[in-house]
């Protein structure tokens, strides 16, 4: 059995502790993959920049000056000051665990992915920030790097509970001002809200970060609906109940979800935000690969 | 046929609730389930569920309606068109009080029909056939029935249809015991139905009557022995045991006849040389089960040709209990002049050829020990009869033709008794409207009278005897056979004392041929009752072969020899197998009705007549509707099937 390809939620459930899970996921994801996309700790050359007064002359490329008579500054990856912002939606709907598959709730799955990203950032000595909440930001840990920070962050992630209503517009709006500098933003949510409202909040984040990834988490129940039976569905956030017969309501539900996804994709495309739909019974390492920026 | 009016139909009503019960029992209780968020999909889900509920109710409705229609189809409902609900302005009922009509079920059903019709009848006319007793007690109907006359089925129907002509709507109920008998009436019926669209005919068939005739238990047999191979009777439920069936030879004492399991057979030769004479008696049938059928004479073919007179033919057939066969006598001729050949019995039913020779012949027979029955009518020459027959024999004198309103006929029971006829159980002799007034002579005994006018006279004429009917045989009210059942009972009784030596019967089945022995050079001319030449004759090495015959009746056979013409008569009766209903005769009859079928309803005797009375059967349309509903239900069910998983994963 190769760990890197079979990091299913069922398997990960046997690994105790978020850190271990996240490490397993990360190792699985990085095995055989390209170098980290983040501009983290590295002495590797990144790009040239025209010299400006005030620049550290230690980084002047004298060879270029000798050849072309231009002063240019060499920039390195560890000098980009990138930070990774992890935003986790902790509304009650995120606590839903599929009845059709063994594994994690959406929130647990989001935590694993977020933790994996955090470990990756730590490995690259990037600063990592964590914000979470449903309707509002409950807590926001500003970007910091280092193992201590990562440990603290993992502890917070482990302690998250799903409760309250979703208001992504407000949540994103409150997160946006806290994003500074060059940032990679990962938003973990199930997007159970009106796409246009989400887009309004998303726009604010997009202004602060050009690399925003919206990770949409869905369980199999939400993606396929129930195949049979008659239910009284109770909305986890509002408590509202609706009686449905799955056989008859299914096609309508699927159509509604399809419409919702199309609208969401349209809004994201408009904003230049990556929308990555993830189903929580997929292998976590594959999901992690999917959400990491390609470049 | 099972109908909704049947109380047992109520047991099927709960079936209607079956779809409801299945529907509500089949509904699963919804289980509470958490779901992340309904907000974005609530609208669509609510709409889908509303549509689903609507479909469910539609499905339930379709199932219930399908079952309802199936139940209604099973109930054999009848849709009556608007005019079908209107009570008929007149209702005709043909009651068969003859041999067939004596079946208990027929009596009961006719009575029921009468009672049912009573509420809506405006006019009721009834005719009776045969010679059974009528036992109905309805005040309106009984008067009519008591005045009923005898006649052939087609004659009775003809009269009924004639009276129905021009009236609309009018309903006629006809009993059908043998569809073969209906053949003759079919053209008449089609004509009436075509001319009168408001005419509805209900044919009540009595299937159990098939193969059976009247419950006669007593037969007088007078046949030349050489004409009979054996005599058999067939019977069904009432199987007389040995010792209950007796044969009483003429002048001898009764002797018991042994019976087989399903037949009685008298083997010839009998002790008497030349002729079989005597009486066969069976015990009365028990219960409502069927009684004894008629005897079947298994005759040797061809029978010997002997002198035959139509009246003789009738009397012999009637004595065998074949009450269904009635012969309309249109003409009669006797080529045998006085002294030409011996004759013991002569029946003159007002023949056209009632000339001096024939009247003289009758007088000769009456004087010489023979028996004469004389019927009068439009051909009657009163002066000739008075001069040549009635006054010389001191019978009386005919004076004038009298028409009157129907007057009851009185029975002189003592006079009948003196002749050995006990008429106590013979029923009502009926009424009379047209007759010839007669001043009875000293030797005349009045048996029946209307007021002071004699209707039936008996007279002992030397060694012979004579019966004289003063009624007009051509009167429509007066059939060829006379009043009520009386002639059919009186004539055999009157004739039975005759020696019958020279009154042999020529009998041939209608579907067979008759061989008339003749010389090679003899020419044959055959005419039917109307004088039309019957051409289906063929020369045979032994004589002339005549037939098969188109219709029943009397055929006149004129055999022209070198020395002169020799005339004889042939009575064509129904085929020997007529006791068994001919296969497919009903189908042929109905087919022959063509487009009139919607106006002719056929029901079995034990069916509820109300459900069959006029209109159209809804069974087929209801079955089609139910099938359509079930099809629609299937379509709705298919539409309610859940979307496949693959659709969800798209």
């Amino acid at each position: 059995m190769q760990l890197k390809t079979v990091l299913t939620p069922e398997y990960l459930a046997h690994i105790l502790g978020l850190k271990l899970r996240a490490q397993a996921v990360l190792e699985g994801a990085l095995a055989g993959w390209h170098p980290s996309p983040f501009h983290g700790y590295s002495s590797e050359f990144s790009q040239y920049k025209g010299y400006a007064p005030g620049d550290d002359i230690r980084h002047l490329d004298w060879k270029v000056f000798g050849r072309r008579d231009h002063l240019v500054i060499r920039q390195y990856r560890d000098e980009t000051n990138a930070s990774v912002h992890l935003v986790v939606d902790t509304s009650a709907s995120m606590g839903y665990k599929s009845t059709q598959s063994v594994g994690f709730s959406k929130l647990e799955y989001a935590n694993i992915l977020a933790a994996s990203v955090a470990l990756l950032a730590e490995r690259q000595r990037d600063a990592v920030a964590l914000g979470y909440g449903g309707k509002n930001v409950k807590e926001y840990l500003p970007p910091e790097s280092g193992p201590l920070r990562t440990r603290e962050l993992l502890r917070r992630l482990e302690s998250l509970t799903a409760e309250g209503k979703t208001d992504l517009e407000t949540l994103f709006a409150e997160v946006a001002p806290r994003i500074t500098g060059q940032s990679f933003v990962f938003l973990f949510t199930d997007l159970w809200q009106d796409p246009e409202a989400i887009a309004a909040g998303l726009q604010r984040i997009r202004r602060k970060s050009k690399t925003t990834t919206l990770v949409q988490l869905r369980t199999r129940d939400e993606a396929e609906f129930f195949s049979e039976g008659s239910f009284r569905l109770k909305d986890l956030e509002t408590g509202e109940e609706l009686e449905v017969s799955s056989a008859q309501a299914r096609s309508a539900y699927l159509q509604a979800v399809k419409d919702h996804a199309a609208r969401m994709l349209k809004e994201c495309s408009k904003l230049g935000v990556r929308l990555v739909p993830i189903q929580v019974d997929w292998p976590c390492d594959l999901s992690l690969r999917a959400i990491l920026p390609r470049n | 046929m099972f109908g909704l009016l049947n109380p047992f139909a109520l047991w099927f009503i709960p079936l209607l609730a079956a779809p409801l019960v299945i529907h509500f029992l089949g509904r699963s209780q919804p289980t509470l389930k958490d779901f992340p968020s309904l907000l974005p999909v609530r609208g669509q889900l609510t709409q889908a569920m509303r549509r689903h509920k609507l479909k469910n109710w539609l499905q339930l409705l379709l199932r219930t309606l399908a079952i309802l229609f199936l139940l209604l189809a099973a109930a054999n409902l009848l849709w009556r068109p608007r005019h079908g609900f209107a009570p008929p302005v007149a209702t005709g009922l043909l009651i068969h009080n003859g041999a067939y009509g004596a079946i208990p079920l027929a009596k009961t059903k006719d009575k029921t029909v009468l009672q049912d019709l009573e509420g809506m009848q405006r006019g009721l006319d009834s005719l009776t056939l045969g010679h059974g007793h009528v036992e109905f007690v309805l005040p309106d109907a009984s008067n009519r029935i008591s005045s009923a006359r005898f006649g052939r089925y087609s004659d009775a129907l003809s009269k009924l249809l004639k009276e129905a002509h021009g009236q609309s709507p009018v309903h006629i109920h006809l009993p059908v015991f043998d569809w073969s008998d209906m053949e003759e009436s079919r053209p008449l019926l089609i004509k009436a139905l075509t001319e009168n669209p408001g005419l509805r005919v209900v044919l009540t068939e009595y299937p159990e009557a098939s193969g059976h005739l009247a419950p006669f238990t007593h037969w007088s047999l007078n046949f030349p022995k050489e004409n009979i191979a054996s005599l058999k009777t067939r019977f069904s439920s009432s199987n007389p045991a040995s010792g209950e069936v007796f044969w009483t030879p003429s002048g001898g004492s009764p002797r018991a006849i042994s019976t087989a399991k399903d037949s009685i057979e008298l083997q010839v030769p009998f002790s008497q040389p030349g002729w079989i004479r005597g009486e066969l008696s069976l015990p009365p049938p028990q219960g409502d089960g069927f009684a004894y059928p008629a005897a079947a004479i298994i005759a040797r073919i061809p029978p010997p040709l002997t002198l035959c007179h139509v009246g003789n033919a009738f009397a012999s057939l009637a004595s065998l209990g074949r009450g269904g066969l009635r012969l309309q006598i249109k003409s009669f001729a006797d080529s045998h002049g006085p002294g030409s050949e011996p004759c013991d019995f002569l029946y003159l039913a007002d023949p056209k050829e009632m000339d001096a020779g024939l009247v003289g012949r009758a007088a000769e027979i009456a004087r010489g020990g023979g028996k004469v029955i004389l019927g009068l009518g439009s051909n009657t020459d009163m002066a000739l009869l008075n001069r040549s027959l009635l006054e010389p024999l001191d019978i009386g004198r005919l004076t004038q033709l009298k028409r009157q309103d129907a007057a009851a006929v009185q029975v002189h029971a003592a006079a009948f008794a003196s002749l050995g006829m006990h008429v106590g159980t013979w029923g009502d002799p009926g009424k009379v409207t047209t007759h010839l007034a007669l001043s009875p002579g000293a030797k005349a005994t009045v048996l029946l009278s209307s007021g002071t006018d004699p209707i039936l006279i008996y007279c002992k004429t030397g060694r012979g005897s004579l019966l004289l009917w003063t009624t007009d045989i051509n009167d429509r009210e007066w059939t060829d056979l006379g009043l009520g059942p009386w002639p059919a009972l009186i004539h055999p009784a009157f004739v039975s004392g005759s020696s019958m030596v020279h009154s042999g019967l020529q009998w041939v089945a209608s579907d067979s041929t008759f061989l008339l022995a003749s010389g090679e050079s003899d020419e044959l001319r055959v005419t039917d009752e109307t004088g039309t030449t019957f051409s289906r004759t063929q020369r045979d090495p032994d004589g002339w072969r005549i037939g098969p015959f188109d219709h029943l009746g009397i055929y006149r056979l004129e055999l022209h020899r070198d020395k002169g013409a020799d005339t004889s008569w042939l009575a064509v009766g129904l085929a020997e197998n007529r006791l068994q209903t001919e296969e497919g005769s009903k189908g042929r009859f109905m087919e022959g009705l063509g487009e009139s079928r919607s106006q002719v309803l056929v029901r079995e005797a034990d069916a509820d007549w109300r459900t069959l009375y006029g209109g159209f059967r809804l069974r087929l349309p209801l079955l089609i509707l139910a099938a359509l509903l079930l099809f629609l239900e299937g379509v709705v069910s298919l539409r309610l099937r859940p979307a496949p998983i693959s659709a969800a994963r798209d």
Side-chain angles (χ1 to χ4, degrees):
Chain A
M1 183 187 290
Q2 293 186 344
L3 186 64
K4 61 186 177 186
T5 54
V6 290
L7 292 170
T8 59
E10 290 83 359
Y11 174 75
L12 288 176
H14 295 289
I15 301 174
L16 298 175
L18 181 60
K19 185 177 180 182
L20 289 175
R21 288 174 188 166
Q23 278 175 341
V25 170
L26 185 60
E27 292 304 324
L30 294 182
W33 199 41
H34 60 79
S36 169
F38 306 136
H39 299 276
Y41 165 72
S42 175
S43 57
E44 196 178 338
F45 170 76
S46 175
Q47 62 184 345
Y48 287 109
K49 171 184 171 288
Y51 173 78
D55 285 343
D56 192 345
I57 57 170
R58 283 182 300 173
H59 298 301
L60 277 172
D61 191 326
W62 296 108
K63 288 180 181 175
V64 172
F65 178 73
R67 283 201 299 271
R68 300 188 180 180
D69 198 19
H70 284 299
L71 285 174
V72 291
I73 296 292
R74 287 174 69 95
Q75 283 189 328
Y76 300 90
R77 283 181 180 266
D78 60 339
E79 291 173 338
T80 54
N81 296 322
S83 58
V84 178
H85 293 261
L86 303 171
V87 180
V88 180
D89 173 10
T90 59
S91 63
S93 63
M94 286 293 284
Y96 185 75
K97 191 183 266 189
S98 173
T99 55
Q100 299 183 50
S101 61
V102 182
F104 303 113
S105 68
K106 288 185 281 184
L107 183 59
E108 288 167 338
Y109 200 92
N111 288 346
I112 292 172
L113 292 181
S116 302
V117 173
L119 287 174
L120 179 62
E122 183 204 345
R123 185 176 291 188
Q124 298 185 169
R125 305 208 177 149
D126 286 332
V128 182
L130 172 67
Y132 58 87
K135 198 171 180 180
N136 302 96
V137 177
K138 287 185 180 168
E139 189 176 12
Y140 197 89
L141 303 177
E144 277 182 33
S145 59
L148 288 176
R149 177 49 137 177
T150 307
R151 200 175 303 132
E152 170 65 15
L153 200 139
L154 293 182
R155 199 166 53 245
R156 290 297 170 87
L157 282 174
E158 270 186 313
S159 66
L160 292 184
T161 52
E163 57 188 6
K165 292 185 178 179
T166 307
D167 185 355
L168 295 177
E169 184 181 0
T170 309
L171 180 71
F172 292 166
E174 288 182 4
V175 165
R178 304 179 193 199
I179 299 170
T180 54
Q182 188 178 357
S183 308
F184 294 88
V185 179
F186 292 88
L187 305 168
F188 298 94
T189 175
D190 54 11
L191 293 178
W192 278 125
Q193 203 181 338
D194 183 48
E196 284 72 26
I198 296 171
L202 204 56
Q203 192 175 19
R204 298 191 177 200
I205 292 181
R206 180 64 184 82
R207 281 186 199 136
K208 294 294 186 76
S209 167
K210 291 181 181 175
T211 315
T212 303
T213 304
L214 185 60
V215 182
Q216 183 188 18
L217 295 150
R218 287 279 159 90
T219 61
R220 193 191 287 182
D221 290 349
E222 293 166 274
E224 297 180 356
F225 206 61
F226 308 104
S227 57
E228 58 183 16
S230 178
F231 307 105
R232 223 167 58 245
L233 296 179
K234 184 181 177 186
D235 190 318
L236 284 175
E237 294 186 5
T238 61
E240 179 192 2
E241 291 183 8
L242 181 67
E243 191 173 321
V244 295
S245 170
S246 56
Q248 279 68 43
R250 185 184 211 182
S251 55
Y253 172 86
L254 293 174
Q255 189 57 47
V257 167
K258 202 173 171 183
D259 292 345
H260 184 272
R263 283 164 60 200
M264 200 64 239
L265 190 63
K266 187 180 169 189
E267 294 296 337
C268 287
S269 303
K270 216 187 293 177
L271 296 172
V273 173
R274 274 184 75 219
L275 175 64
V276 184
I278 296 290
Q279 198 164 306
V280 298
D281 52 354
W282 292 350
C284 297
D285 51 340
L286 298 183
S287 300
L288 181 61
R289 279 190 197 183
I291 67 173
L292 291 177
R294 298 289 175 192
N295 55 356
Chain B
M1 190 67 69
F2 182 81
L4 270 189
L5 293 175
N6 191 322
F8 287 105
L10 292 171
W11 290 103
F12 292 102
I13 288 179
L15 273 181
L16 282 176
L20 288 169
V21 171
I22 293 169
H23 178 81
F24 288 113
L25 286 181
R27 280 180 61 179
S28 55
Q29 279 298 329
T31 51
L32 186 64
K33 219 176 184 56
D34 287 337
F35 201 72
S37 179
L38 294 170
L39 193 66
V41 293
R42 185 175 48 199
Q44 284 93 330
L45 285 184
T46 310
Q47 200 177 0
M49 288 313 296
R50 200 175 295 146
R51 209 164 42 232
H52 169 63
K53 278 185 182 171
L54 206 66
K55 279 180 185 172
N56 261 346
W57 282 112
L58 180 65
Q59 207 177 7
L60 183 65
L61 183 72
L62 289 172
R63 284 175 186 167
T64 309
L65 282 177
I67 288 185
L68 176 68
F69 286 148
L70 284 174
L71 278 178
L72 292 179
N76 204 16
L77 277 189
L78 187 81
W79 176 74
R80 282 187 255 182
R82 197 162 54 87
H83 61 268
F85 286 100
V89 295
T91 303
L93 176 65
L94 191 65
I95 297 173
H96 202 305
N97 69 339
Y100 284 128
I103 294 171
L105 180 62
K107 284 185 179 179
T108 311
K109 291 310 290 186
D110 283 348
K111 196 169 184 175
T112 308
V113 171
L114 273 174
Q115 286 167 344
D116 287 337
L117 290 176
E118 195 181 24
M120 60 178 172
Q121 74 183 53
R122 293 198 188 166
L124 175 70
D125 200 357
S126 57
L127 288 173
T128 54
L129 301 167
H131 48 277
H133 298 297
V134 179
E135 295 177 354
F136 301 116
V137 291
L138 282 174
D140 289 338
S142 57
N143 288 337
R144 303 275 185 161
I145 291 167
S146 63
S147 65
R149 298 290 183 270
F150 286 82
R152 289 197 304 173
Y153 195 99
S154 57
D155 289 341
L157 183 57
S158 170
K159 184 181 178 191
L160 211 52
L161 293 173
K162 189 178 170 188
E163 289 182 3
H165 186 71
Q167 301 188 62
S168 181
V170 60
H171 296 165
I172 290 182
H173 289 256
L174 304 174
V176 181
F177 296 93
D178 188 342
W179 285 97
S180 308
D181 289 347
M182 295 298 294
E183 283 290 321
E184 198 178 353
S185 305
R186 191 174 65 189
L188 200 66
L189 205 55
I190 291 173
K191 185 170 181 288
L193 288 166
T194 310
E195 290 173 353
N196 187 358
L199 174 65
R200 294 273 186 280
V201 177
V202 181
L203 299 167
T204 304
E205 56 179 351
Y206 295 83
E208 67 276 16
S210 173
H212 304 299
L213 276 178
F216 277 73
T217 59
H218 186 86
W219 293 285
S220 294
L221 300 174
N222 289 284
F223 285 96
K225 195 179 77 178
E226 57 270 29
N227 196 24
I228 296 180
S230 63
L231 184 143
K232 283 184 181 177
T233 70
R234 297 183 293 272
F235 44 86
S236 54
S237 60
S238 300
N239 186 356
S242 296
E244 290 181 320
V245 182
F246 289 92
W247 167 250
T248 309
S250 180
S253 55
R255 65 176 185 186
I257 300 293
S258 64
T259 59
K261 186 181 176 186
D262 57 356
S263 69
I264 301 169
E265 187 163 352
L266 296 174
Q267 293 294 340
V268 291
F270 294 95
S271 56
Q272 298 86 350
W275 279 82
I276 298 170
R277 293 175 208 153
E279 294 177 350
L280 182 69
S281 66
L282 283 77
Q286 300 296 319
D288 289 337
F290 189 66
Y292 307 119
I297 304 297
I298 313 299
R300 286 187 182 130
I301 300 295
L305 180 64
T306 58
L307 181 65
C308 171
H309 294 289
V310 286
N312 186 0
F314 159 70
S316 298
L317 287 171
S319 69
L320 281 173
R322 290 180 178 257
L325 178 62
R326 292 289 180 266
L327 306 175
Q328 181 78 33
I329 300 165
K330 297 286 186 186
S331 66
F332 182 84
D334 182 14
S335 62
H336 306 278
S340 59
E341 280 192 38
C343 180
D344 292 328
F345 171 61
L346 178 65
Y347 177 27
L348 297 176
D350 190 31
K352 286 179 194 168
E353 303 85 351
M354 185 87 105
D355 54 9
L358 186 57
V359 174
R361 171 84 165 134
E364 181 195 347
I365 292 170
R367 281 198 188 98
K371 300 202 172 185
V372 174
I373 299 175
L374 193 57
L376 307 180
S378 60
N379 298 318
T380 300
D381 183 342
M382 281 195 289
L384 174 65
L385 275 181
N386 285 337
R387 188 175 63 247
S388 305
L389 183 67
L390 303 182
E391 286 179 345
L393 293 177
D394 205 10
I395 297 167
R397 180 181 175 76
L398 293 168
T399 55
Q400 59 173 331
L401 181 68
K402 287 182 77 173
R403 297 182 196 278
Q404 61 186 22
D405 291 336
V409 173
Q410 289 91 42
V411 181
H412 300 267
F416 275 108
S418 67
L419 299 176
M421 298 184 212
H422 300 283
V423 297
T425 59
W426 286 11
D428 189 345
K431 297 179 181 178
V432 70
T433 53
T434 307
H435 67 281
L436 291 158
L438 174 82
S439 303
K443 291 184 178 177
T445 305
V446 177
L447 299 174
L448 297 171
S449 63
S450 174
T452 55
D453 291 339
I455 294 298
L456 179 62
I457 296 288
Y458 171 81
C459 190
K460 188 76 181 161
T461 54
R463 286 185 293 158
S465 55
L466 181 141
L467 275 182
L468 170 64
W469 289 94
T470 64
T471 45
D472 181 0
I473 202 168
N474 295 310
D475 184 356
R476 194 65 187 159
E477 292 295 320
W478 171 251
T479 71
D480 56 311
L481 296 180
L483 292 167
W486 291 66
L489 299 170
I490 293 170
H491 288 187
F494 174 70
V495 174
S496 64
S498 166
S499 61
M500 300 292 288
V501 170
H502 298 293
S503 57
L505 171 70
Q506 290 181 116
W507 163 263
V508 62
S510 61
D511 56 357
S512 183
T513 57
F514 177 73
L515 183 66
L516 179 65
S518 66
E520 285 185 5
S521 59
D522 295 348
E523 290 299 321
L524 177 69
R525 181 169 180 266
V526 182
T527 50
D528 65 11
E529 299 158 357
T530 61
T532 309
T533 303
F534 180 75
S535 58
R536 210 171 288 161
T537 57
Q538 193 177 358
R539 193 178 283 280
D540 197 82
D542 297 326
W544 282 92
R545 191 162 288 280
I546 309 165
F549 297 89
D550 296 323
H551 60 272
L552 309 182
I554 305 296
Y555 290 79
R556 177 190 176 110
L557 316 180
E558 287 179 36
L559 199 60
H560 296 276
R561 306 172 191 271
D562 294 338
K563 56 182 180 182
D566 189 5
T567 305
S568 58
W569 300 83
L570 179 67
V572 178
L574 294 168
E576 274 299 311
N577 62 357
R578 76 176 294 267
L579 292 179
Q580 299 298 327
T581 298
E582 194 184 345
E583 195 71 27
S585 55
K586 178 182 178 183
R588 280 201 304 280
F589 176 77
M590 294 307 291
E591 195 179 340
L593 284 179
E595 293 176 358
S596 309
R597 285 183 64 171
S598 61
Q599 293 167 269
V600 178
L601 303 170
V602 181
R603 68 180 179 119
E604 288 192 1
D606 54 352
D608 185 345
W609 76 275
R610 290 181 188 86
T611 61
L612 288 153
Y613 192 68
F616 300 96
R617 291 265 142 236
L618 292 179
R619 175 171 286 173
L620 187 63
L622 285 170
L623 282 175
I624 291 172
L625 264 178
L628 193 67
L629 288 170
L630 288 174
F631 173 75
L632 284 176
E633 197 273 341
V635 171
V636 172
S637 292
L638 283 176
R639 298 276 296 172
L640 284 177
R641 284 178 65 187
I645 296 286
S646 58
R649 286 179 176 155
D650 283 343

